[in-house]
Every structure is written in structure tokens, then in C-alpha cells.
Amino acid sequence: MTDHAEAAKQLFYQGYNCAQSVFCAFTEVTGYDLDTSARMASSFGGGLGRLRETCGVVSAAALVLGIVKGYDDPSDYDAKKRHYALVREFAERFRAECGSINCRELLTMAGLQPVSGGEPEERSEEFYRKRPCPKLVCEAARVLDEFLSEQ
């Protein structure tokens, strides 16, 4: 397990959502402090505000990729094209490892019946035991590390 993967898992067990756990594990890469990182990624937990759409760990990885490899000139079509291809490649690697990039599907594959919306669940031993999220934050951080080292 990479240092980022272990950090992401520990952050998740501290109560950060899935997206925050991954994004905050990469603070030395992004240059943002922990508090700013946690706020930036806070909306993406539960597949975007518990909508159960794109998994928060994938969104967090995309944020890291945007900071490290993103483009800032809206007229630079080639940079935009390269960046979107990079994000898609990361997503495909994550999908190959985990089976999906969709929160609802990942939870269903783990035997859960995900509910869209509503209040976040209280963190407890039972919460952590039944959810695939600790494994998913590790996998996202590991794949992102591999991906960044290849770029």
C-alpha cells in the first residue's frame, strides 16, 4: 500500500468523506493545506452530496489531476483534449480495479442498498465494517500514485 493510500484510509477512519480522504491524502502534491483540501472536496462525498453518482474517490482524483496536470487556458483545445483523456484513463483504471466508478453500483456490489440523498450516516464500527469505502479510498490513492508516476 502506498503512503497516500494509507493516509487516505486513515483520513476516512477519522470521519472525512471518501472524496476528502483521497484529496486530503495528496496535500503535498496539490499544495493545499488540510483544511482547504477538506472544504474543496466536501461536496463530492457519497457520489456528489449523497446522490450516489460518480464515486467521490474518482472525483477527488480528478481534482488532484486538475491541479497537477490540468489546463488553464480555455482557448487551448489541445490541452483540454489531453486533460480529459487523462481523466478518462484514470477512471478506466479505477473501473478495471474496482468494477465501477459509480457510487451506487459500488455500494450495490458490496451487498448494500444505497439510498440517494438524505442525511449522512453516523460513523460506527458497523458503518466501517459493511462499507467498501475504506478499500475504495485506498485503491483510488494507489491508482492515482501509479498514474502520476507514469506521467
Side-chain angles (χ1 to χ4, degrees), residues 65 69-70 81-91 147-148 151:
L65 289 171
K69 299 286 186 180
K81 187 168 69 172
R82 282 190 308 272
H83 183 67
Y84 288 173
L86 193 69
V87 172
R88 286 192 307 271
E89 185 179 343
F90 170 83
F147 198 71
L148 289 173
Q151 300 304 309

Side-chain angles (χ1 to χ4, degrees), residues 61-113:
L63 284 170
V64 173
L65 289 171
I67 292 165
V68 176
K69 299 286 186 180
Y71 67 95
D72 56 8
D73 179 354
S75 66
D76 189 344
Y77 177 76
D78 289 334
K80 183 185 290 190
K81 187 168 69 172
R82 282 190 308 272
H83 183 67
Y84 288 173
L86 193 69
V87 172
R88 286 192 307 271
E89 185 179 343
F90 170 83
E92 286 308 312
R93 285 192 194 186
F94 182 84
R95 186 189 324 266
E97 293 287 328
C98 298
S100 180
I101 64 167
N102 181 276
C103 176
R104 183 179 303 105
E105 291 172 3
L106 291 163
L107 293 175
T108 300
M109 288 187 300
L112 300 173
Q113 296 179 336

Side-chain angles (χ1 to χ4, degrees), residues 15 28 42 53 59 62-63 71-72 91 106 108 123 128 132 135 140 144 150:
E28 89 288 353
S42 63
E53 299 296 335
S59 296
L63 284 170
Y71 67 95
D72 56 8
L106 291 163
T108 300
R123 299 290 177 100
Y128 291 116
K135 177 184 176 283
L144 184 57
E150 295 168 8

Side-chain angles (χ1 to χ4, degrees), residues 109-125:
M109 288 187 300
L112 300 173
Q113 296 179 336
V115 176
S116 294
E119 300 298 320
E121 293 179 53
E122 291 291 325
R123 299 290 177 100
S124 65
E125 283 186 39

